[in-house]
Amino acid sequence: MNQDYQLSVQEVLERPHFQHAYLAAGKQGLHRLVRWVHIIEVIQFEQLLQGGEMILTTGAAFKSDTQLFKIYLEQLINRNVSCLCIEMGHYLSSVPGEWIDMAETSGLPLIIFPQAVRFIDITQDIHAHIINQHHRALQDLEKISREFHRMTLTSQGVAQVLQLLQNSTKAKVIYVPAEGQPKFVPHASSRESKQWMELLGKQLDESSEAGHTPSPSLIEFEGQTIIVQPVGAMGKTWAHIAIVLGRKPREYEYLILDSASLSIAQDLLRKRYMEERKLYSQTLWVDDLLHLRIRDEEQIKVLIGIDFKRLNVLNYHVCLIEFEYDQEARTSSVDEGVETLGIHLSLTVRSVFEQHAFHPLITLQNNRLVIIAFDQAPKKPAKERLQHVFQSIQQMKAEEQVKLVIGVGQINRSFMNAYMSYQEAIQAISLSSTMQANVLYFDELGVFQLLFHIAEKQTLQAFVKTHLGPLIDHDQTRGSELLRTLKVYLDYDGSKQIVAQRLFIVRQSLYYRLEKIEELLGSDYMSPEKRLALQVAIRAYQLLNPETKM
């Protein structure tokens, strides 16, 4: 395994084209890596460098002028170049001691060619070496990545990945799962492992609180560099991998660590999917509870076990998440596809609810997930946390082209009352088209809460006809929009300017519509009692005609 595809200054000095060169200053910087070679013969160039370059020059920019050389050198130092190589000859016959002192003080290696050399030969040699070694390293990395993936298919996959990671980097590897004991490769004594965990503890806590991120973090400790890489998915960190290096990390370590963490994440995700299927089969009774097929608490105690007493006294919301995938995402078998996709969604939903201090009981009904979300942090506002939950889930699934509509029942307590919150969630989600919203809370539905309890649709229809009949008839026969105009007019307290803007019409058109409404409903239609009746009738009309856009 060739990790050293980047040359150090010391290694460059050992190459054939440097056999007559000598190091004049900056011995302490020989470990610096040479990422590229650049020829600079001008005095102002700082914006041209990115850091890590070997600089070649004949001295044409500064010649024997010490002040100009100082300006030149300071720019190199500011851009963190690897070293400076000066050719003696046409512009310089020697390097002043003052220049050597300046380079020594800065720790920048200063290499002198006592006679003319072909810069093109040097650049071709070093660039070819870097590119070839980089290509070889990528090939090695690809080979190791495939081996990582193969290992995760075995029962001891994670342990084998950690061992291969250690063999490939020659670094100490520390694996810290969110649940379970840390692993050290090679093995560490109890005392040593305790010291490492104390050192890593704060960094791991901060990473977990921030949520899963693929970006690694660094810890500097007694001349060692520790790279800490989170492992996880679906917005949750499941573990951390750390490697301990005796030097500054190179790109190779970041790449191989990322590959190892991805393989472990896939292994953990696969295991969690299997666990989710198991949980799904174990919570089928939730569907019976929500449909009143379970009427005895003793049955629930038997089904849920020791958690019954704790959960039965917690507040909860019943949430419905309706999911719809694009046609391309559907499988050839619709039923099998919906269940598989539902369990994948369930895995995400469980993770996000748990992150926000809810204990979810989840069941799948066709293309809807039903969640009884028990609140384990009653001192924190539940609705605010639920909003964060739904935002996170929608953001995650938007990338997978999944459309979600969510209905939430009111807060409740005791398993035997779950049916009521479930019915409220159904009623809330049924208004998604009417309200043109993706998340609906039953306790925010206003008069709809009352209208849902009117079982006789004929009663509602009669009420709508009594108060809105003339407008509905006019719209149907004339193709007008008087009913929608009235709704917006009432919703915005009669503000003609706002109503015209919302309807995208000019004021004159609005005045004509209002005159027609007054003609059909009577001049007193804005009196308190009639206005209230009209607003209720409009909501009843929306309930009876959920697909009508208003």
Side-chain angles (χ1 to χ4, degrees):
M1 174 54 53
N2 187 352
Q3 302 172 32
D4 299 320
Y5 60 86
Q6 291 176 324
L7 290 167
S8 67
V9 176
Q10 177 66 61
E11 291 167 329
V12 168
L13 282 171
E14 296 168 3
R15 300 193 68 78
H17 293 293
F18 285 77
Q19 60 182 333
H20 299 301
Y22 66 91
L23 182 70
K27 183 178 180 180
Q28 62 269 42
L30 289 177
H31 66 282
R32 296 186 181 191
L33 298 178
V34 177
R35 304 180 188 277
W36 208 243
V37 181
H38 203 46
I39 301 171
I40 296 182
E41 301 287 21
V42 293
I43 198 62
Q44 295 294 338
F45 55 81
E46 194 168 352
Q47 70 278 7
L48 303 177
L49 301 178
Q50 293 182 337
E53 295 92 348
M54 166 181 275
I55 305 302
L56 303 178
T57 183
T58 62
F62 44 83
K63 299 177 183 174
S64 59
D65 190 322
T66 297
Q67 187 59 35
L68 288 179
F69 177 77
K70 182 179 180 182
I71 294 172
Y72 189 95
L73 184 66
E74 285 176 349
Q75 292 178 84
L76 299 181
I77 295 169
N78 291 338
R79 300 307 294 176
N80 197 29
V81 302
S82 300
C83 62
L84 170 62
C85 303
I86 303 178
E87 176 196 79
M88 298 295 102
H90 184 70
Y91 296 103
L92 288 170
S93 58
S94 64
V95 177
E98 187 178 358
W99 296 11
I100 295 175
D101 292 341
M102 291 165 61
E104 183 69 31
T105 301
S106 68
L108 179 68
L110 177 60
I111 299 170
I112 306 299
F113 290 104
Q115 57 192 39
V117 292
R118 283 166 53 92
F119 283 174
I120 190 172
D121 293 337
I122 294 174
T123 55
Q124 286 180 342
D125 174 57
I126 296 177
H127 289 172
H129 178 87
I130 292 174
I131 292 170
N132 291 337
Q133 291 297 85
H134 186 79
H135 179 66
R136 189 178 305 171
L138 290 177
Q139 289 180 319
D140 292 339
L141 184 64
E142 177 64 24
K143 181 180 178 181
I144 292 174
S145 297
R146 288 197 299 269
E147 189 66 13
F148 282 153
H149 292 309
R150 186 192 66 78
M151 288 176 171
T152 55
L153 298 176
T154 68
S155 59
Q156 297 295 318
V158 172
Q160 292 179 354
V161 168
L162 297 176
Q163 185 63 60
L164 180 55
L165 178 62
Q166 196 277 326
N167 293 339
S168 303
T169 59
K170 307 303 179 186
K172 178 182 288 294
V173 176
I174 306 172
Y175 177 70
V176 187
E179 299 176 0
Q181 296 299 314
K183 295 181 176 65
F184 293 82
V185 185
H187 178 73
S189 65
S190 298
R191 180 179 178 183
E192 185 182 1
S193 61
K194 183 179 179 181
Q195 291 174 339
W196 280 115
M197 291 309 297
E198 288 176 353
L199 175 64
L200 294 173
K202 183 178 179 181
Q203 186 74 32
L204 300 187
D205 291 341
E206 291 177 355
S207 176
S208 297
E209 289 174 5
H212 173 63
T213 169
S215 302
S217 55
L218 296 181
I219 301 175
E220 302 287 345
F221 177 70
E222 294 183 354
Q224 299 179 107
T225 301
I226 307 165
I227 312 177
V228 182
Q229 174 75 48
V231 179
M234 300 181 301
K236 187 172 183 179
T237 299
W238 296 329
H240 290 86
I241 308 177
I243 58 174
V244 184
L245 302 168
R247 52 171 170 73
K248 294 290 184 181
R250 301 179 183 179
E251 185 181 4
Y252 176 85
E253 280 90 22
Y254 286 109
L255 292 173
I256 196 170
L257 184 58
D258 182 66
S259 180
S261 66
L262 179 60
S263 295
I264 292 176
Q266 290 174 337
D267 181 65
L268 296 177
L269 182 61
R270 183 165 51 249
K271 290 176 180 176
R272 276 162 174 72
Y273 177 76
M274 295 171 64
E275 292 171 1
E276 193 65 31
R277 288 195 72 95
K278 183 178 178 182
L279 287 171
Y280 166 64
S281 64
Q282 291 175 347
T283 55
L284 292 175
W285 62 269
V286 172
D287 190 67
D288 293 331
L289 174 68
L290 298 175
H291 290 86
L292 295 180
R293 293 190 289 266
I294 295 179
R295 296 178 177 272
D296 187 350
E297 277 193 353
E298 292 302 319
Q299 288 181 264
I300 302 175
K301 288 180 183 179
V302 172
L303 291 166
I304 204 169
I306 59 175
D307 282 339
F308 173 82
K309 186 175 181 180
R310 177 178 67 88
L311 296 177
N312 201 45
V313 297
L314 293 179
N315 293 333
Y316 63 81
H317 291 266
V318 174
C319 308
L320 274 180
I321 301 181
E322 185 175 275
F323 56 92
E324 181 180 352
Y325 285 71
D326 287 347
Q327 194 65 32
E328 296 178 359
R330 296 183 181 275
T331 61
S332 56
S333 172
V334 175
D335 293 335
E336 182 182 14
V338 168
E339 179 176 330
T340 301
L341 296 172
I343 292 174
H344 273 292
L345 177 59
S346 175
L347 187 58
T348 302
V349 166
R350 187 181 304 279
S351 173
V352 178
F353 268 96
E354 288 175 350
Q355 286 177 56
H356 290 84
F358 290 100
H359 177 91
L361 292 180
I362 304 175
T363 189
L364 179 63
Q365 298 176 353
N366 297 319
N367 69 325
R368 285 179 174 178
L369 282 184
V370 185
I371 306 103
I372 305 179
F374 291 90
D375 188 356
Q376 299 185 108
K379 293 184 179 180
K380 298 180 180 179
K383 182 171 287 188
E384 183 178 323
R385 283 181 289 126
L386 283 174
Q387 289 170 343
H388 288 307
V389 167
F390 300 141
Q391 287 172 2
S392 298
I393 294 171
Q394 288 175 318
Q395 288 171 0
M396 291 179 193
K397 292 302 170 183
E399 298 176 359
E400 301 175 23
Q401 297 181 316
V402 182
K403 180 183 177 182
L404 302 179
V405 179
I406 301 168
V408 185
Q410 294 187 99
I411 193 169
N412 220 319
R413 185 180 292 186
S414 173
F415 278 97
M416 299 311 298
N417 294 325
Y419 168 79
M420 292 185 290
S421 188
Y422 171 61
Q423 292 300 313
E424 291 168 351
I426 291 176
Q427 292 165 351
I429 208 170
S430 71
L431 290 174
S432 60
S433 296
T434 300
M435 307 293 286
Q436 298 183 36
N438 292 326
V439 181
L440 299 103
Y441 297 86
F442 185 84
D443 61 6
E444 296 179 357
L445 297 183
V447 74
F448 282 112
Q449 297 176 354
L450 179 62
L451 298 176
F452 277 125
H453 290 283
I454 300 177
E456 291 290 333
K457 297 300 181 185
Q458 292 179 347
T459 302
L460 287 178
Q461 290 170 346
F463 186 79
V464 169
K465 186 174 182 180
T466 299
H467 295 280
L468 299 175
L471 297 188
I472 295 172
D473 292 341
H474 190 279
D475 285 347
Q476 290 176 346
T477 58
R478 306 291 181 84
S480 57
E481 290 190 331
L482 298 184
L483 182 58
R484 179 166 179 257
T485 301
L486 177 62
K487 178 185 180 298
V488 177
Y489 188 63
L490 295 175
D491 286 348
Y492 288 93
D493 296 322
S495 172
K496 294 181 176 63
Q497 180 180 353
I498 297 176
V499 173
Q501 291 173 349
R502 298 292 295 180
L503 293 173
F504 302 103
I505 59 176
V506 297
R507 288 278 194 94
Q508 288 75 10
S509 296
L510 175 62
Y511 296 151
Y512 170 78
R513 292 186 186 184
L514 293 177
E515 288 174 3
K516 198 63 182 177
I517 290 171
E518 182 176 333
E519 177 186 327
L520 294 171
L521 298 183
S523 59
D524 61 343
Y525 76 96
M526 286 296 284
S527 64
E529 289 301 322
K530 285 199 172 184
R531 176 175 177 172
L532 178 59
L534 289 171
Q535 288 178 309
V536 173
I538 288 171
R539 267 47 180 187
Y541 178 85
Q542 289 180 288
L543 188 62
L544 294 169
N545 303 274
E547 299 304 320
T548 301
K549 303 292 184 182
M550 293 188 63

